[in-house]
Every structure is written in structure tokens, then in C-alpha cells.
Amino acid sequence: MMRDYVKMTDLHHGENPHQRAAYYVEVGARRHLLSMVEQLNGEDPSFNNLNDLNVARQVAADFTIPGCVIVKHGSPVGVAAARGGAEAFDLAFRADEQASYGGVVALNRPVDGATAATIADHKFEAIFAPGYSDEARAILAERATNMRILVDNERRTKS
């Protein structure tokens, strides 16, 4: 069956920095990886960012308590659940601090100021969460100027 696709956006780069890339979506598709995502900060995502984001958001969605997932090159390098976002991030990051560098962080709860401050102390390509407090936005805007800040606006729950 033949399907039609339309370009949604250019990507920062392909799998390697010298490659051009774009993100295409199927015409008429109700949902796709970026359909319910709002970008607040940072450059356009790269091909690798989208691959990492896809993995991270799927794993993070499996938690019913606050959870954090750090993905690098398509593989989770840190996964944790805890009483709050900052603690979940800290546990996930400590799973493999070296491999986490430059990865994508996904949380299944809104980011508060304490969580934002902890994340901003490290180098990540992107952070993905269902929201950010005003304090978190201010911290990330000041201290994580190159990080892609992505909001998950999906409101449906899994069955």
C-alpha cells in the first residue's frame, strides 16, 4: 500500500553532523513522535535526538510513580523511579554518569526547580517532561541555554 508523507520540519543534522535530515509524517496520521510535543528552547532536534526521545518517552511512560530515563544512542543508560523527580533523576544519572553525557532525559512528571537545577548541572541534548514550573523554566533558560526543552502535551493515559 502506498502512503503519502509530508515534511514536518528540518532536523539539526542527520545521524552524523555533516548529514542533512528532515522529519516526515504520514499524511492523515493522527499521531506521530512529535505530534504532542512543544519545544521551548534549543536548536531543532537531530536525527539521534528523535531516536533517543522515542525510546526515553516510551520507557518513562511505563512508570506509575515519578520516573526518569536517560537515553544515549538509542539505549537507556539510566532508569529510576523515586518519590520525586529530582531523586529519580539523581538515581538514573548515577547508574552511568559517563554514558549519560549528551543524552536525552525524559521524566514522567512536571519538572520543578530542584529537578531543573540538578539537571542543568550536566550536559544533555534534551529534556522531555509533561511540564515545567516557572522556576524550572527560569533555571533552564539561564543555565541550560543549549539544551532542547521539550514539553509532552499528551493527555491520554495508557490502558
Side-chain angles (χ1 to χ4, degrees):
M1 175 166 96
M2 182 70 104
R3 294 188 175 154
D4 293 326
Y5 291 85
V6 63
K7 183 166 110 175
M8 182 177 161
T9 186
D10 286 317
L11 299 178
H12 185 60
H13 61 75
E15 188 169 4
N16 296 299
H18 69 280
Q19 297 170 323
R20 292 178 45 210
Y23 182 68
Y24 286 79
V25 297
E26 185 178 352
V27 173
R30 294 180 61 199
R31 294 176 42 117
H32 56 81
L33 178 61
L34 297 177
S35 64
M36 300 302 289
V37 176
E38 175 187 2
Q39 185 166 341
L40 303 178
N41 187 54
E43 299 175 328
D44 290 334
S46 71
F47 173 84
N48 296 331
N49 296 150
L50 293 183
N51 282 336
D52 290 349
L53 173 62
N54 189 43
V55 173
R57 75 186 298 182
Q58 288 178 20
V59 175
D62 284 340
F63 288 101
T64 56
I65 63 174
C68 177
V69 180
I70 303 171
V71 173
K72 176 89 177 264
H73 300 305
S75 295
V77 296
V79 179
R83 290 183 294 270
E87 184 181 1
F89 169 79
D90 185 55
L91 291 169
F93 181 70
R94 286 192 291 144
D96 193 336
E97 294 179 22
Q98 206 167 23
S100 295
Y101 182 85
V104 169
V105 177
L107 296 110
N108 66 351
R109 298 290 193 280
V111 176
D112 60 17
T115 307
T118 304
I119 292 171
D121 286 339
H122 306 286
K123 167 71 171 113
F124 294 103
E125 289 286 318
I127 179 174
F128 175 79
Y132 301 84
S133 71
D134 290 341
E135 181 184 13
R137 286 180 187 227
I139 290 167
L140 293 170
E142 179 184 330
R143 296 175 44 198
T145 56
N146 293 328
M147 189 183 303
R148 294 159 180 92
I149 310 299
L150 306 170
V151 181
D152 178 9
N153 289 315
E154 178 62 59
R155 295 297 175 240
R156 293 190 294 179
T157 58
K158 297 184 322 179
S159 42

